[in-house]
């Protein structure tokens, strides 16, 4: 039976999305075909726009429209964060997405810095690949009082946190690590021994 | 499928599809192998599948074996986070120098004992790194050697530089361009008394030269981190 090469290409392309296997991709592709042309073109334009018109802030790494990114590049101030925030505190994350998560879940009132991953030599990721050099520049230039490390708790995340801690200590900057352990409403019986061990070791005085 | 649990260490992991992962593991019985852990990202106990701790694993006998069971070998063997950079480096050496699917029980025994040492030690990072490099090179057949002289011929007062063909060789003075170490440090190095070496940075540079030469065009990326 004859098949459309373009349709098959789209199905193949859609499978790069997380959680989308071949069947889901097929369903999506057929829905796109059945949809009104305006809607499909609108989606295609939006996809195209994020490639051409979105870039990263050269200070914190979050995604901005190109015009805002250029404004930021030419400004001495950090424009991404609103007025009244404590710029002497920087929360370091592994991705811009983590910044949005923290911003939407906490009342943290400081600044941010997003790395582009964590240190993993076997995956070719060293300090320059994940943006630590940029972070160091920021530590040198600005008057930073505290770095809050919000990297993941994997070996790579811990190694990244330790590396940044060593870097910050050269600049006499206080470093803290976000807490991890028992989740809210969690029951000990459902947790693995590592999590309990970590939570126990990091207990705090009441 | 065998029900035997195999003593293993995870050396590296990478995502495979949305919910699965591929682990490169060093095992006592089967050497260095890759296993596919299907759907493991959704498991609550994923956190136990991490490098630097001994695990007991069961997996199938396929070309790409599938992980069927995993548990911790010893619950009290977590390494301090301050040595994670060193662990990443050691795992890169294991990954790049260990042949796949060949039994390597001696290397496994060495790695296990070294991980235990890191967990318990208060030695500096330099001592830990130099010790691993020297002992690992010996495990893979590249023991740091002396020029034709014997240990008893080493003069503690003299200087020695390393030559890739001949090994350590006495030099007239330490103004040579090659990195040189004292006879005392050389004796401590070949006796594996790393904590007594006074110029560990020089020994690290010599070791790095040996490793870079052996690894060839594949770079050791960890050096970007450890510098």
């Amino acid at each position: 039976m004859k098949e459309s090469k373009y349709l098959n290409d789209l199905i193949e392309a859609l499978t790069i999305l997380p959680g989308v296997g071949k069947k889901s991709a097929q369903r999506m592709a057929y829905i796109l075909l059945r949809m009104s042309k305006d809607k499909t073109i609108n989606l295609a334009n939006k996809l195209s726009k994020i490639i051409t018109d979105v870039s990263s802030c050269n200070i914190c790494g979050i995604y901005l429209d190109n015009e805002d990114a250029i404004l930021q590049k030419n400004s001495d101030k950090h424009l991404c964060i609103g007025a009244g925030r404590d710029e002497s505190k920087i929360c370091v994350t592994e991705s811009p997405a983590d910044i949005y998560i923290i911003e939407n879940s906490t009342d943290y009132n400081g600044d941010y810095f997003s790395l582009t991953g964590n240190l993993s030599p076997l995956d070719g990721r060293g300090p320059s690949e994940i943006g630590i050099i940029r972070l160091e520049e920021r530590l040198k230039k600005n008057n930073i009082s505290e770095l809050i490390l919000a990297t993941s708790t994997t070996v790579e995340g811990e190694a990244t946190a330790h590396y940044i801690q060593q870097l910050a200590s050269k600049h006499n900057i206080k470093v803290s690590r976000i807490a991890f352990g028992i989740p809210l409403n969690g029951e000990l019986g459902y947790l693995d021994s590592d999590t309990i061990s970590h939570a126990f070791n990091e207990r705090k005085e009441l | 499928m065998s029900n035997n649990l195999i003593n293993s260490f995870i050396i590296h992991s990478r995502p495979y599809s949305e919910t699965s992962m591929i682990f490169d593991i060093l095992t006592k019985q089967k050497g260095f192998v890759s296993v596919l852990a299907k759907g493991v990202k959704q498991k609550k106990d994923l956190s136990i599948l991490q490098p630097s701790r001994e695990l007991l694993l069961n997996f199938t006998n396929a070309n790409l074996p599938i992980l069927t069971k995993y548990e911790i070998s010893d619950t009290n063997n977590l390494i301090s986070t301050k040595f994670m950079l060193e662990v990443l480096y050691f795992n890169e050496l294991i990954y790049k120098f260990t042949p796949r699917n060949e039994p390597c029980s001696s290397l496994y025994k060495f790695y296990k004992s070294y991980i235990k040492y890191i967990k318990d030690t208060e030695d500096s990072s330099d001592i830990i790194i130099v010790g691993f490099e020297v002992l690992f090179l010996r495990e893979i057949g590249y023991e740091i050697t002396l020029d034709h002289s014997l240990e008893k011929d080493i003069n503690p007062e003299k200087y020695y530089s390393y030559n890739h063909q001949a090994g350590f060789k006495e030099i007239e003075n330490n103004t040579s361009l090659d990195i040189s170490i004292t006879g005392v440090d050389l004796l401590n190095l070949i006796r594996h008394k790393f904590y007594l070496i006074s110029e560990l940075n020089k020994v690290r540079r010599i070791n790095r030269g040996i490793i870079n030469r052996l690894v060839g065009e594949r770079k050791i990326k960890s050096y970007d981190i450890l510098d």
Side-chain angles (χ1 to χ4, degrees), chain B residues 72-102:
Chain B
I72 302 167
S73 166
D74 172 7
T75 51
N76 187 26
N77 65 356
L78 277 178
I79 286 183
S80 160
T81 53
K82 69 180 177 181
F83 292 128
M84 287 304 168
L85 294 171
E86 287 78 358
V87 168
L88 289 182
Y89 171 47
F90 301 158
N91 286 354
E92 187 177 10
L93 293 182
I94 297 272
Y95 188 94
K96 290 191 170 158
F97 284 101
T98 312
R100 297 213 161 227
N101 304 311
E102 285 180 23

Side-chain angles (χ1 to χ4, degrees), chain A residues 55-64 78 80 96 99-100 112 114:
Chain A
S55 42
S56 297
C57 167
N58 65 325
I59 294 185
C60 64
I62 66 164
Y63 297 121
L64 295 173
H78 188 196
C80 300
I99 291 182
Y100 298 113
Y112 291 99
S114 168

Side-chain angles (χ1 to χ4, degrees), chain B residues 110-165:
Chain B
F110 154 70
Y111 185 79
K112 181 180 174 178
S113 65
Y114 213 82
I115 290 292
K116 185 177 183 315
Y117 154 67
I118 300 174
K119 182 187 159 280
D120 299 331
T121 190
E122 290 185 5
D123 284 346
S124 71
S125 170
D126 277 339
I127 296 172
I128 290 171
I129 289 173
V130 164
F132 188 90
E133 287 168 336
V134 172
L135 299 171
F136 175 71
L137 285 170
R138 186 182 65 171
E139 281 297 328
I140 60 169
Y142 296 100
E143 185 157 18
I144 292 175
T145 54
L146 300 175
D147 179 25
H148 302 295
S149 42
L150 298 167
E151 187 183 322
K152 67 179 175 53
D153 300 325
I154 296 171
N155 183 343
E157 308 292 319
K158 295 277 185 179
Y159 281 86
Y160 294 81
S161 73
Y162 189 78
N163 176 290
H164 289 293
Q165 272 80 40

Side-chain angles (χ1 to χ4, degrees), chain A:
Chain A
M1 193 173 70
K2 261 197 165 182
E3 286 185 3
S4 162
K5 178 185 171 300
Y6 299 120
L7 181 60
N8 285 341
D9 286 350
L10 175 65
I11 291 168
E12 186 67 37
L14 286 167
T15 58
I16 65 160
L17 293 169
V20 178
K22 186 131 193 212
K23 277 193 174 173
S24 303
Q26 263 174 347
R27 217 172 53 241
M28 286 180 192
Y30 286 120
I31 288 171
L32 287 169
L33 272 179
R34 281 202 306 268
M35 230 178 233
S36 75
K37 277 192 178 158
D38 288 350
K39 282 185 180 171
T40 316
I41 288 168
N42 183 39
L43 177 63
N45 285 340
K46 294 275 188 288
L47 284 172
S48 169
K49 279 271 180 199
I50 62 162
I51 309 299
T52 57
D53 293 5
V54 175
S55 42
S56 297
C57 167
N58 65 325
I59 294 185
C60 64
I62 66 164
Y63 297 121
L64 295 173
D65 291 345
N66 280 351
E67 51 263 42
D68 290 332
I70 291 166
L71 269 179
Q72 178 60 73
K73 225 173 183 175
N74 297 322
S75 170
D76 294 334
K77 288 194 166 180
H78 188 196
L79 305 174
C80 300
I81 59 164
R85 295 190 72 133
D86 184 355
E87 291 188 56
S88 73
K89 286 182 186 166
I90 298 180
C91 174
V92 181
T93 66
E94 287 180 4
S95 75
D98 294 342
I99 291 182
Y100 298 113
I101 292 169
I102 293 171
E103 188 65 10
N104 292 328
S105 321
T106 69
D107 56 1
Y108 173 64
N109 193 34
D111 205 341
Y112 291 99
F113 184 90
S114 168
L115 301 165
T116 51
N118 49 31
L119 291 173
S120 178
L122 278 169
D123 296 307
R125 295 197 302 269
S128 55
E129 284 81 8
I130 66 166
I132 289 184
I133 311 295
R134 248 179 349 108
L135 175 64
E136 191 173 18
E137 288 301 313
R138 201 165 160 192
L139 300 184
K140 279 181 199 164
K141 276 187 206 160
N142 301 88
N143 194 15
I144 311 295
S145 65
E146 184 180 2
L147 267 190
I148 302 159
L149 303 179
T151 55
S152 57
T153 57
T154 59
V155 168
E156 290 83 1
E158 291 292 353
T160 308
H162 184 64
Y163 187 89
I164 296 171
Q165 185 201 346
Q166 286 177 322
L167 205 68
S169 66
K170 284 186 202 162
H171 300 277
N172 295 319
I173 296 169
K174 178 183 156 190
V175 181
S176 57
R177 181 95 169 94
I178 56 165
F180 44 94
I182 298 167
L184 283 179
N185 294 323
E187 290 177 41
L188 291 185
Y190 290 98
L191 297 176
D192 62 277
S193 57
D194 284 352
T195 305
I196 294 171
S197 165
H198 259 294
F200 203 80
N201 291 336
E202 302 297 321
R203 68 189 181 277
K204 65 176 183 183
E205 200 178 322
L206 296 175

